[in-house]
Structures are given as structure tokens and as C-alpha cells.
């Protein structure tokens, strides 16, 4: 999962947790409030009952208090009230809720009998006073569990609305999380993209650093780093160009002198001297190849190697490369086959750069293919219109864990070096190939199975319509 998704998930989770906690607390608080409210309603009902009883005692109107008791009983939540009663000063029952059912057996009963109720009943009492003197007691009993159940029923009516508000809040929190994550991640993505461009060698790339926060400071520091890297790269390019140029002339003189001595113009050489000159010439030629490779790579990396693409007959070019490397192939006892390229094959490329590319790839394939092996060059056209060229061999192959190092400077595979034959290499040939292919807008890759062979392949974009 990418960082944006993770951040959205974290922020959404926190929002959902806060929302769920808030809703739970509101639910519990509302339940408690409803219970207290209903308890207060029972107390108010008892106060009213006591007042009605006081008036009825003054007026000696038993019917009025029974009428009010009936009203009180019928308006209450079903099953909530346990009983209601009026006791005189001596504790005898003057009125009881059972009277509403026609049961007058409790009339005149003792106080203890009137108070009898279930285990979870709550009994409220209120003195009945006439002119400041207590003459009776009004009792009201209700079931605690019934009151709690009634509160829950009332609360369920608001649960739907609360759920709707919660869903709306969750949707808003998700939207807020997405917007916040996007605002936080966007500068980081710019930094990532900038680092990627720098890593690709685009040292002139700069990151917009308008924000005054820490991310803006980081972007500005990154840009300064890019400027320093560009300066160092320019110094490196200048140094390599100068040093390789300065080495070429004296090295050419050394090679020329060795050739004169090998030809015997300056006198006949002994067998030991001839061998020494051979070794000196071999080393000088290797050094010359290394200097030329460094100079060419320096130009490619500095963007000073201009490519001039045109339509190239790939079959003719491959045949000339095969002719050039034919002596080496014959010496190694390796078959070199370019018949896999149709005669009409045309590619859009710089001819000299493409020639160097094929020489490097075919030369590498010959170096690592044992005698009686084969090196083949093939060409095909992809569905997207690109030209795909392959250089395949039946050689020693490359270990899978070393494939990722092939296109790095001065990288050589220790497992295969010298195993087929002792051929010196600079470790820059494949890097140059990669730069040439990418300079044309193509891609290069490799497929290999250790001790079974290797295939290097590259693509070239199709000819532009306006060309």
C-alpha cells in the first residue's frame, strides 16, 4: 500500500475511533438523562397525587382522587407502575391502585401490606398536609427495570437520527482525511519525483519550494544539493575529458614506439624482448580502449554526444558488424549469425551510434561464448511500432543475482570473468550501450540463465511522422 493510502487509512481510522467514542458517550449520557428525567416525572406525578389527595380529604371527595389515580395509571408507560396508595396517619390504606380493578380488599389494611412490592421496585412517598399538618402519606411505586426499558425504547427513536448523523460525520471525516493526506503527501511526492530525476542524471531538475514550512525547507535544501551535484558533475566531466585527452597523445606515442620495435625497424628483438613487447602492446591497447570508453561515456553523460537519427538498413549494418568481428568469431570458434534480420528491416537511429551499440553487444557475446557456440542477432517489430533488436548467445550466462549490476560503471561479473577465455574488459561497454539506447528514447534489458546463455535486447522508437 502506498503512503497516501496508508495515511488516509490512519486518519480515517482515527476519525472513526473519535466518532465512535463520541457516539457511545452520547448514547450513554442520553440514557442516563432519560432515566433521570423519567424518575423526575414519577416524583412530579407523586407530588400531584399528594395534592389531589389533600384536596379530596378536605372536601371528603373520594371519587376525585380515584379519578385522578385512574388518569395517572392510564397515562403511565404500560407495566411501569407497581402500585399507588394513600395511607392515613395511622398507616391504614385509604386508597390503593387495586381499587381501580374493583379490589377493595386492601382498604383499611396496614402500612406494611400496602408497601409490599417486587424486588426491583422503587417506592416514593410524599406527606399529605392540610393547613401545615400531616394527615396522610401518598405512595407511588414503579419497577426500576421497566423504567430503564422505557428509557431505552424512547432512546431507540433517536438512534436512527444519531446513526444518520454518524454516517454523515464519517463521510465528512473520510473526505477530510483524503484532502489532508493529499495536502501532506503532495510535497513528499514532489521530493520523490525530484530525487528520481536526480537519480536519472537530470541534475538540473529543481523542486517547487513555495511553502514556508519544514517540507518547503527540505525542498530548498534538496535544490541546493542538486546545484552542488551539478557543479561536481561538471567538474567531473571537465576533469575526465581533460585527463583522457591528455593521456591519448602520450599513449599513442607509446603504442607507435612498440609497433616500431615489433617490426624490427630499430633492431632485431630476442624472444624475451618480443614477448615483453607483446605484453606491453596488449596493456597499451587495453589502456587506450579504457580511455576511449571513458571519453565516450563522458560525452554521453554530459549530453555532448549529438545523435542524428535517420532511416538505417539494419541488415546491412549488422552484416558490416559481423564482417568486422568475423575474425574474432573465427578465432574463438564461435558461429556468428545475423540472418535473423530481414533484408528490408529499417530502423530510425543514428547509424554510428547504432554500430557502436551492436559492436559492444556482439563483442561481449563472443567473449563469453565457448568454442562451437553461437551468437545470433535478430530483429522484430512490436505491436506498438517499436523495433526490437536481440543479441543472443549460447555462452556461460549470468547468475540471476548479478543481472541488476550489469549496467553499472566498471561492473564485471566475477563468476564469469576468465571462465571461457581471458579477455580484458573495461566494465563500461554496457553502460555506453544503455546511454546510447536511452539517448534514442528506447529501452535496454537482459535475460539470462547461468550456464545456458544470455540475450540482450533493446528497442528503438518508430520513425516520427514528420521526419
Amino acid at each position: 500500500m502506498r503512503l497516501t493510502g496508508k495515511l488516509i487509512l490512519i486518519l480515517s481510522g482515527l476519525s472513526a475511533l473519535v466518532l465512535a467514542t463520541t457516539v457511545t458517550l452520547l448514547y450513554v449520557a442520553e440514557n442516563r438523562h432519560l432515566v433521570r428525567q423519567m424518575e423526575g416525572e414519577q416524583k412530579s406525578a407523586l407530588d400531584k397525587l399528594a395534592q389531589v389527595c389533600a384536596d379530596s380529604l378536605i372536601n371528603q371527595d373520594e371519587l376525585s382522587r380515584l379519578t385522578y389515580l385512574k388518569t395517572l395509571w392510564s397515562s403511565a408507560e404500560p407495566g411501569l407502575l407497581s402500585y399507588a396508595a394513600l395511607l392515613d396517619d395511622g398507616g391504614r390504606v385509604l386508597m390503593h391502585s387495586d381499587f381501580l380493578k374493583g379490589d377493595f380488599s386492601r382498604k383499611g389494611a396496614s402500612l406494611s401490606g400496602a408497601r409490599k412490592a417486587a424486588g426491583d421496585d422503587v417506592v416514593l412517598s410524599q406527606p399529605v398536609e392540610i393547613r401545615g399538618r400531616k394527615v396522610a402519606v401518598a405512595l407511588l411505586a414503579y419497577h426500576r427495570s421497566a423504567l430503564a426499558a422505557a428509557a431505552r425504547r424512547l432512546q431507540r427513536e433517536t438512534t436512527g437520527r444519531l446513526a444518520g448523523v454518524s454516517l454523515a460525520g464519517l463521510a465528512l471525516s473520510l473526505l477530510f482525511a483524503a484532502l489532508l493526506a493529499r495536502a501532506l503527501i503532495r510535497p513528499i511526492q514532489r521530493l520523490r519525483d525530484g530525487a528520481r530525476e536526480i537519480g536519472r542524471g537530470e541534475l538540473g531538475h529543481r523542486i517547487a519550494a513555495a511553502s514556508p514550512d519544514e517540507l518547503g525547507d527540505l525542498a530548498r535544501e534538496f535544490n541546493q544539493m542538486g546545484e552542488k551535484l551539478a557543479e561536481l558533475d561538471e567538474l567531473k566531466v571537465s576533469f575526465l575529458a581533460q585527463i583522457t585527452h591528455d593521456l591519448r597523445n602520450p599513449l599513442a606515442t607509446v603504442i607507435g614506439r612498440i609497433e616500431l620495435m615489433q617490426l624490427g625497424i630499430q633492431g632485431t628483438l630476442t624472444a624475451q624482448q618480443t614477448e615483453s613487447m607483446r605484453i606491453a602492446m596488449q596493456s597499451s591497447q587495453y589502456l587506450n580502449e579504457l580511455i576511449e570508453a571513458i571519453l565516450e561515456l563522458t560525452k554521453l553523460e554530459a549530453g555532448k554526444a549529438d545523435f542524428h537519427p535517420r532511416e538505417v538498413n539494419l541488415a546491412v549494418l549488422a552484416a558490416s558488424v559481423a564482417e568486422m568481428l568475423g575474425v574474432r568469431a573465427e578465432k574463438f570458434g564461435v558461429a556468428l549469425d545475423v540472418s535473423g534480420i530481414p533484408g528490408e528491416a529499417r530502423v530510425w537511429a543514428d547509424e554510428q551510434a547504432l554500430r557502436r551499440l551492436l559492436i559492444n553487444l556482439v563483442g561481449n557475446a563472443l567473449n563469453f561464448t565457448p568454442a562451437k557456440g553461437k551468437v545470433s542477432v535478430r530483429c522484430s517489430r512490436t505491436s506498438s511500432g517499436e523495433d526490437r533488436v536481440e543479441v543472443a548467445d549460447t555462452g556461460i550466462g549470468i547468475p540471476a543475482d548479478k543481472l541488476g549490476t550489469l549496467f553499472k560503471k566498471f561492473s564485471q561479473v566475477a563468476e564469469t570473468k576468465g571462465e571461457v577465455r581471458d579477455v580484458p574488459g573495461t566494465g563500461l561497454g554496457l553502460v555506453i550501450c544503455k546511454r546510447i539506447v536511452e539517448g534514442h528514447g528506447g529501452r535496454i534489458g537482459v535475460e539470462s540463465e547461468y550456464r545456458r546463455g544470455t540475450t540482450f535486447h533493446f528497442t528503438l522508437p518508430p520513425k516520427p511522422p514528420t521526419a
Side-chain angles (χ1 to χ4, degrees):
M1 184 181 293
R2 300 184 68 82
L3 182 58
T4 305
K6 290 180 180 178
L7 191 56
I8 291 176
L9 186 61
I10 291 172
L11 292 174
S12 300
L14 289 175
S15 300
L17 179 60
V18 171
L19 185 61
T21 303
T22 303
V23 169
T24 302
L25 292 175
L26 285 174
Y27 185 88
V28 172
E30 184 183 11
N31 183 266
R32 290 178 179 176
H33 172 72
L34 284 173
V35 169
R36 287 195 295 268
Q37 183 179 4
M38 295 184 73
E39 288 175 345
E41 290 174 354
Q42 305 314 308
K43 185 66 173 62
S44 298
L46 179 61
D47 291 341
K48 179 64 175 174
L49 177 62
Q51 182 61 46
V52 171
C53 289
D55 293 341
S56 69
L57 290 174
I58 293 174
N59 300 323
Q60 296 183 352
D61 185 3
E62 185 177 359
L63 181 60
S64 63
R65 61 176 178 258
L66 285 173
T67 301
Y68 179 75
L69 180 60
K70 182 178 180 181
T71 302
L72 173 64
W73 206 264
S74 61
S75 62
E77 286 284 333
L80 174 62
L81 297 180
S82 177
Y83 70 88
L86 177 65
L87 310 179
D88 64 14
D89 196 33
R92 292 171 299 181
V93 177
L94 299 176
M95 180 187 68
H96 196 281
S97 53
D98 286 352
F99 293 1
L100 298 176
K101 296 182 287 185
D103 182 3
F104 293 91
S105 61
R106 291 182 180 273
K107 192 168 185 178
S110 64
L111 176 64
S112 59
R115 286 182 179 273
K116 186 177 180 181
D120 72 332
D121 280 3
V122 176
V123 181
L124 305 176
S125 64
Q126 177 69 28
V128 178
E129 298 179 348
I130 298 177
R131 300 184 184 91
R133 184 173 65 87
K134 177 182 174 183
V135 296
V137 176
L139 302 176
L140 183 65
Y142 62 87
H143 299 296
R144 192 191 309 272
S145 58
L147 186 139
R152 287 193 296 271
R153 282 196 301 273
L154 290 174
Q155 195 172 15
R156 278 197 293 270
E157 296 177 3
T158 62
T159 301
R161 293 191 295 272
L162 188 61
V165 172
S166 300
L167 290 175
L170 182 59
L172 288 174
S173 67
L174 289 173
L175 177 60
F176 174 75
L179 293 176
L180 181 60
R182 186 176 180 183
L184 291 174
I185 294 300
R186 189 177 296 152
I188 299 176
Q189 289 175 333
R190 285 199 295 266
L191 287 170
R192 179 204 61 193
D193 295 340
R196 182 182 296 150
E197 292 299 319
I198 293 288
R200 290 173 177 171
E202 300 294 333
L203 300 181
H205 181 80
R206 295 294 177 265
I207 301 171
S211 60
D213 55 16
E214 288 80 359
L215 288 174
D217 293 339
L218 181 60
R220 284 183 282 274
E221 292 292 334
F222 190 92
N223 288 337
Q224 291 180 8
M225 180 193 70
E227 292 173 3
K228 293 294 182 183
L229 287 175
E231 292 175 5
L232 291 174
D233 187 67
E234 184 64 29
L235 287 174
K236 179 203 72 173
V237 170
S238 300
F239 171 76
L240 288 176
Q242 186 64 43
I243 198 68
T244 50
H245 182 270
D246 292 344
L247 286 173
R248 292 173 74 184
N249 291 334
L251 184 59
T253 302
V254 170
I255 293 174
R257 292 294 180 179
I258 294 174
E259 289 176 342
L260 289 175
M261 296 182 72
Q262 286 179 324
L263 292 172
I265 295 176
Q266 296 181 344
T268 304
L269 301 178
T270 66
Q272 186 176 5
Q273 289 173 334
T274 300
E275 178 63 15
S276 296
M277 288 300 100
R278 186 189 68 79
I279 295 174
M281 176 61 80
Q282 186 179 30
S283 299
S284 298
Q285 288 175 340
Y286 169 73
L287 184 58
N288 186 60
E289 289 178 7
L290 180 60
I291 291 172
E292 293 294 337
I294 292 176
L295 186 60
E296 183 175 2
L297 183 59
T298 301
K299 290 180 179 179
L300 287 169
E301 290 184 336
K304 296 180 179 179
D306 295 330
F307 295 124
H308 302 285
R310 64 182 183 86
E311 198 171 66
V312 178
N313 187 315
L314 184 60
V316 173
L317 181 61
S320 68
V321 170
E323 184 178 0
M324 183 185 305
L325 297 176
V327 175
R328 188 192 305 184
E330 185 176 350
K331 177 183 176 182
F332 293 163
V334 177
L336 178 54
D337 179 22
V338 296
S339 62
I341 301 178
E344 70 278 3
R346 301 289 192 276
V347 296
W348 186 256
D350 182 284
E351 185 171 0
Q352 294 306 316
L354 183 57
R355 183 186 303 274
R356 177 60 187 271
L357 175 61
L358 287 176
I359 289 173
N360 282 357
L361 292 179
V362 174
N364 264 359
L366 291 172
N367 290 341
F368 293 99
T369 300
K372 298 183 180 180
K374 184 177 181 180
V375 174
S376 304
V377 183
R378 303 185 290 265
C379 177
S380 61
R381 181 155 292 177
T382 67
S383 58
S384 60
E386 293 180 316
D387 292 297
R388 177 184 171 97
V389 182
E390 297 180 354
V391 178
D393 64 61
T394 59
I396 192 63
I398 304 166
D401 61 332
K402 297 298 174 63
L403 291 175
T405 67
L406 292 179
F407 297 101
K408 295 182 180 179
K409 297 175 184 176
F410 304 106
S411 174
Q412 293 183 326
V413 181
E415 290 86 343
T416 61
K417 187 176 181 180
E419 184 167 342
V420 177
R421 57 183 62 88
D422 189 14
V423 179
T426 64
L428 294 176
L430 290 178
V431 182
I432 292 173
C433 290
K434 185 174 186 293
R435 290 290 182 179
I436 291 174
V437 171
E438 291 178 348
H440 282 78
R443 303 177 305 279
I444 189 169
V446 59
E447 298 168 359
S448 183
E449 185 177 351
Y450 192 39
R451 300 192 180 280
R452 296 292 299 274
T454 302
T455 299
F456 281 90
H457 54 82
F458 63 90
T459 61
L460 295 171
K463 178 181 178 180
T466 57

